């Protein structure tokens, strides 16, 4: 497969249709309906279900409560700083939440909370890179590219499956 060839497919989920994008056969995006900071859909390439089986299976298992982490290969495109933030997001345990300050601290950049929040908001691979697990310092549900209702759904579902209680 051409290393730069983009393709996409759309799958159903409990939070609405998800557009999965791959570049060179590697998952590079998951976007929800009305997703903020979504690239121009013209960059998603042709619609093609080929090569999305593993991502679709893992997302289905996640939504069914049978998967708490993902192993599908990823190719998130962003700045080196954004990629560091996205890597740190993947360390937040299933069913848990961190504040933006905790995320910044984990990167060794405690004064960069706003930059960390901006990178979090630009995460191109929602759900698998769990940006929904980041909350405000007062415990409030703050911005989410897919909307706060979806964020609440994901957090409540994870907390329930993990045997925790979401108090937000």
């Amino acid at each position: 497969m051409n290393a730069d060839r983009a393709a996409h497919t759309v799958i159903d989920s409990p939070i609405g249709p998800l557009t999965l994008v791959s570049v060179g056969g590697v998952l590079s995006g998951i976007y929800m309906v009305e997703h903020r900071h979504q690239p121009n859909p013209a960059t998603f390439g042709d619609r093609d279900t080929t090569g999305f089986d593993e991502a679709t299976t893992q997302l289905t298992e996640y939504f069914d409560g049978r998967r708490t982490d993902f192993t599908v290969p990823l190719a998130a495109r962003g700045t080196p700083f954004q990629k560091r933030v996205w890597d740190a997001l993947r360390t937040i345990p299933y069913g848990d939440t961190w504040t933006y300050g905790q995320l910044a601290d984990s990167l060794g950049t405690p004064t960069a909370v706003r930059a960390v929040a901006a990178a979090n908001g630009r995460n191109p691979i929602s759900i698998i890179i769990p940006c929904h697990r980041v909350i405000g310092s007062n415990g409030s549900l703050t911005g989410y590219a897919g909307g706060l209702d979806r964020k609440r759904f994901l957090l409540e579902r994870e907390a329930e499956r993990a045997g925790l209680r979401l108090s937000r």
Side-chain angles (χ1 to χ4, degrees):
M1 173 175 270
N2 181 330
D4 294 328
R5 181 183 177 270
H8 76 280
T9 192
V10 178
I11 64 170
D12 290 326
S13 83
I15 58 172
L18 299 175
T19 300
L20 281 59
V21 180
S22 72
V23 175
V26 181
L27 189 66
S28 63
I30 298 177
Y31 301 102
M32 296 165 244
V33 174
E34 299 170 358
H35 193 109
R36 281 187 303 217
H37 309 298
Q38 175 177 295
N40 183 335
T43 66
F44 294 172
D46 294 333
R47 190 161 180 170
D48 182 356
T49 59
T50 307
F52 292 99
D53 293 345
E54 189 62 28
T56 299
T57 297
Q58 289 188 24
L59 285 164
T60 299
E61 292 169 351
Y62 168 82
F63 283 116
D64 288 347
R66 296 179 286 128
R67 176 173 288 278
T68 59
D69 63 341
F70 295 90
T71 59
V72 64
L74 304 177
R77 291 185 171 184
T79 68
F81 181 76
Q82 288 172 328
K83 290 178 180 183
R84 283 186 56 219
V85 171
W86 302 335
D87 286 344
L89 289 170
R90 296 192 77 193
T91 69
I92 302 173
Y94 179 90
D96 199 1
T97 56
W98 286 5
T99 65
Y100 292 98
Q102 287 174 298
L103 184 57
D105 285 345
S106 78
L107 294 165
T109 58
T111 61
V113 174
R114 287 179 188 236
V116 165
N120 187 65
R122 296 279 183 181
N123 170 24
I125 308 177
S126 299
I127 304 164
I128 290 178
I129 298 177
C131 55
H132 61 276
R133 294 181 188 155
V134 183
I135 59 172
S137 60
N138 64 359
S140 64
L141 298 186
T142 57
Y144 184 59
L148 291 181
D149 288 342
R150 288 186 181 106
K151 182 172 187 163
R152 183 174 295 105
F153 176 88
L154 294 169
L155 290 174
E156 287 176 352
R157 184 112 176 195
E158 288 185 12
E160 175 186 309
R161 299 281 196 271
L164 305 170
R165 180 174 158 80
L166 185 66
S167 60
R168 293 166 232 344

